[in-house]
Amino acid sequence: MAKQKETQKLIANNKKAYHDYFIDESYEAGIALHGTEVKSLRMGKCSIKESFIRIENGEMFVYGMHVSPYEKGNIFNKDPMRVKKLLMHKVEINKLAGKIAEKGFTLVPLQVYFKEGRAKVQIGLARGKKLYDKREDIAKKDARRETEREFKVKNL
């Protein structure tokens, strides 16, 4: 039998998370959604810029994830800012709960995507950056861009 290739369709990306945090580890979790929310996600109408993840009573929830109402959904549409449950194994949730109990760690959603027809969230175990860390990253990015520009000019 031929191995089926993994298909992923990116819906939302959280660039702000990479700017504000050091991402130590990343995990994958499913999302518990209602029908019209899935249709809206398939159209790419999702934002995770201001969202965060909490663990409550052994379950994970994502707050602030905005899934726009589906245009043709009428009465079946749910609240766009509804708290959504994330689906992970208990062992993984307990492991993450132990890690975020340490000082300075938090959970942030990094990406929302479809994998083999199912909506998934990539979760990052993150530590907050200080202002000087952010400045340092911006300076490195600018220096890299400048060298790429010079290299491109020399090769023309």
Side-chain angles (χ1 to χ4, degrees):
M1 255 207 240
K3 187 179 176 188
Q4 197 176 21
K5 70 173 191 172
E6 236 177 60
T7 57
Q8 282 192 357
K9 181 188 170 208
L10 184 66
I11 299 162
N13 198 2
N14 193 355
K15 292 180 184 176
K16 191 175 183 208
Y18 291 101
H19 179 72
D20 293 340
Y21 300 100
F22 291 113
I23 309 298
D24 289 348
E25 296 176 35
S26 64
Y27 300 90
E28 184 179 77
I31 318 170
L33 296 170
H34 293 278
T36 55
E37 289 177 321
V38 176
K39 289 180 179 185
S40 187
L41 277 182
R42 288 206 186 281
M43 294 174 72
K45 307 231 171 141
C46 177
S47 173
I48 54 172
K49 279 191 173 35
E50 298 295 322
S51 57
F52 59 95
I53 297 170
R54 279 199 183 138
I55 297 176
E56 299 166 356
N57 301 327
E59 295 179 327
M60 282 181 28
F61 297 95
V62 62
Y63 292 83
M65 180 177 161
H66 186 277
V67 178
S68 298
Y70 184 58
E71 291 101 38
K72 300 172 185 118
N74 60 34
I75 61 167
F76 299 109
N77 281 334
K78 298 288 181 186
D79 176 33
M81 295 297 286
R82 178 179 77 84
V83 176
K84 292 151 193 73
K85 184 177 178 182
L86 296 180
L87 309 170
M88 282 181 92
H89 292 284
K90 280 271 191 232
V91 176
E92 290 177 311
I93 293 173
N94 291 338
K95 186 173 119 181
L96 284 173
K99 287 187 178 180
I100 62 172
E102 294 175 30
K103 188 175 182 284
F105 280 106
T106 187
L107 292 173
V108 290
L110 303 174
Q111 290 181 340
V112 178
Y113 53 92
F114 277 105
K115 183 177 178 183
E116 297 173 5
R118 291 187 167 85
K120 303 283 185 179
V121 176
Q122 184 181 23
I123 298 167
L125 183 66
R127 284 181 291 121
K129 283 186 181 177
K130 303 282 189 242
L131 185 61
Y132 57 85
D133 291 327
K134 292 178 190 177
R135 285 186 189 138
E136 196 175 290
D137 281 354
I138 291 169
K140 283 179 186 174
K141 217 178 276 183
D142 287 343
R144 184 180 48 94
R145 241 185 252 130
E146 193 64 37
T147 55
E148 285 176 359
R149 196 175 297 131
E150 287 174 12
F151 183 73
K152 189 183 272 186
V153 169
K154 286 179 184 177
N155 287 340
L156 289 177

